[in-house]
Amino acid sequence: MKHTKGSRITTAVIITLIVILAALILVPRIIPKRAAAPPAAAAPGGGGRPTGGAPGSGGASGGGRPAGGGSRTATAVRTAAVSRGNIEKYLVINGDVILRTQVSIFPSVSGKLTERRLIPGDTVFRGQTVAMVDPSRPGEVYSQSPVVSTISGTVIQAPVNPGDTVSPQTAIYVVGDPGSLAVETFVPERYATIVHRGLEAQAAFEAMRGEIFPAVVDEVSPILESASRTLRIRLRFTGAESRIKPGMFATVSLVTESGTDIPVIPREAVINTYGSWIVFVVNGEGLAERREITLGLENEALVEVASGLELGESVVVAGQNFLTEGDPVRVLNEE
């Protein structure tokens, strides 16, 4: 019996030790160690209130006004009023100044050119003797034959020289009428149905920068050039101008469409956003209001407002790229 009792005591001690050992191993894993919270920072000067403040004081926990925050800063802009005006839409192309009237002067006989009385740039009159031709042949002597101009104008070319042999098919001079200046140019096919005689135009020249010379379409070809798919036209100047010379390079502006007394705004006011045209209007409360508009005619300076705006409304023409709907604005000047 004693032996049995001792064995039980030993067994109980072993079990107790196993339980204690298991507790030491498992309890720290089941109950994680809680981190100690740092002490609350005291407000400057004492007081002990946590940072963040009372509700409404502007702190993060208060849910009030953002830090730094009063009302939004107004954006400085410039504006212009929607008004009535005129718009002309232009097609700009290049052309060359030519002489519409240009005639070659031929001798009446074959022979040797013995005298040439004019040089390029000289003025010639109809019926004037401009050269002499000796029709004599070896063993024969003939009187010299005069070459007479059939047109009044200015000598453009003198392709032969004294001593050259000429015939009735040889041009002694090329004479042009300086009053018959024209600009020849070619219009793309897509504008072929718009161009017509009498259409107003303007011409500008590199040699006379800043000056505009009025002209009208005076001649329209009945067919298109097959190679370039363009329509040849000629324009005449509506005023005499001695400074314009044949061969000058001209920049031509054709008035293809025009509108009179229509609602217009400056072109710089309009913004293209994903295929839509928008502007910003300054409303009565001094806030920016986004408007989608429809455009009509337009040129380099103005656009027609087909819909979306009323006459007299103020649209932003400078500073609009920094605006969003409802932004406060400060108008620097309103024209």
Side-chain angles (χ1 to χ4, degrees), residues 97-99 177-183 235-237 241 244-246:
V97 178
I98 63 170
L99 281 174
D177 179 7
S180 67
L181 288 176
V183 176
L235 299 88
R236 64 175 172 83
F237 296 99
E241 179 53 65
I244 301 175
K245 307 296 183 185

Side-chain angles (χ1 to χ4, degrees), residues 49-63:
R49 177 176 292 176
T51 57
S57 66
S61 63

Side-chain angles (χ1 to χ4, degrees), residues 1-310:
M1 294 293 293
K2 291 183 180 179
H3 177 74
T4 303
K5 186 177 181 180
S7 299
R8 291 178 178 176
I9 294 173
T10 302
T11 301
V13 171
I14 293 173
I15 293 173
T16 302
L17 292 175
I18 291 173
V19 171
I20 293 173
L21 181 61
L24 292 175
I25 295 174
L26 296 178
V27 170
R29 295 185 181 181
I30 296 174
I31 305 175
K33 186 181 295 184
R34 180 177 298 174
R49 177 176 292 176
T51 57
S57 66
S61 63
R65 188 176 295 170
S71 60
R72 289 177 292 177
T73 303
T75 302
V77 299
R78 297 183 185 274
T79 63
V82 182
S83 59
R84 292 193 175 275
N86 304 329
I87 291 182
E88 291 183 335
K89 188 174 181 180
Y90 293 95
L91 166 64
V92 180
I93 49 180
N94 298 321
D96 297 297
V97 178
I98 63 170
L99 281 174
R100 187 189 302 274
T101 304
Q102 188 170 301
V103 176
S104 296
I105 308 300
F106 300 96
S108 58
V109 297
S110 298
K112 182 180 292 186
L113 183 67
T114 59
E115 184 180 357
R116 192 184 68 178
R117 298 182 178 180
L118 300 173
I119 61 174
D122 286 349
T123 301
V124 62
F125 299 96
R126 183 178 181 180
Q128 178 181 347
T129 298
V130 294
M132 299 296 291
V133 175
D134 182 3
S136 299
R137 298 179 181 179
E140 300 177 344
V141 178
Y142 295 93
S143 298
Q144 295 195 42
S145 175
V147 180
V148 179
S149 177
T150 57
I151 186 177
S152 296
T154 301
V155 176
I156 300 173
Q157 297 178 26
V160 295
N161 297 306
D164 290 346
T165 299
V166 297
S167 70
Q169 290 76 42
T170 304
I172 305 298
Y173 295 104
V174 178
V175 178
D177 179 7
S180 67
L181 288 176
V183 176
E184 185 174 73
T185 185
F186 295 84
V187 177
E189 181 179 1
R190 63 181 178 274
Y191 298 106
T193 58
I194 299 175
V195 178
H196 57 83
R197 292 185 64 186
L199 184 67
E200 294 183 355
Q202 296 177 345
F205 300 93
E206 186 69 21
M208 294 166 278
R209 290 188 177 182
E211 295 189 60
I212 299 296
F213 299 88
V216 295
V217 176
D218 195 45
E219 183 182 319
V220 179
S221 174
I223 60 174
L224 270 69
E225 301 286 335
S226 59
S228 61
R229 299 297 179 188
T230 56
L231 184 70
R232 181 180 63 81
I233 65 172
R234 287 181 176 178
L235 299 88
R236 64 175 172 83
F237 296 99
T238 55
E241 179 53 65
S242 60
R243 293 177 296 168
I244 301 175
K245 307 296 183 185
M248 277 187 169
F249 181 81
T251 300
V252 177
S253 301
L254 294 172
V255 181
T256 56
E257 294 181 73
S258 62
T260 304
D261 197 31
I262 55 179
V264 297
I265 58 175
R267 188 181 185 90
E268 58 266 26
V270 183
I271 303 172
N272 186 293
T273 304
Y274 301 107
S276 299
W277 297 101
I278 68 165
V279 296
F280 281 96
V281 176
V282 179
N283 63 23
E285 300 177 356
L287 301 178
E289 182 180 330
R290 186 181 186 273
R291 294 275 188 88
E292 185 171 334
I293 65 172
T294 304
L295 303 185
L297 293 176
E298 55 184 294
N299 60 19
E300 294 81 5
L302 300 172
V303 295
E304 176 190 4
V305 180
S307 65
L309 291 172
E310 299 294 334

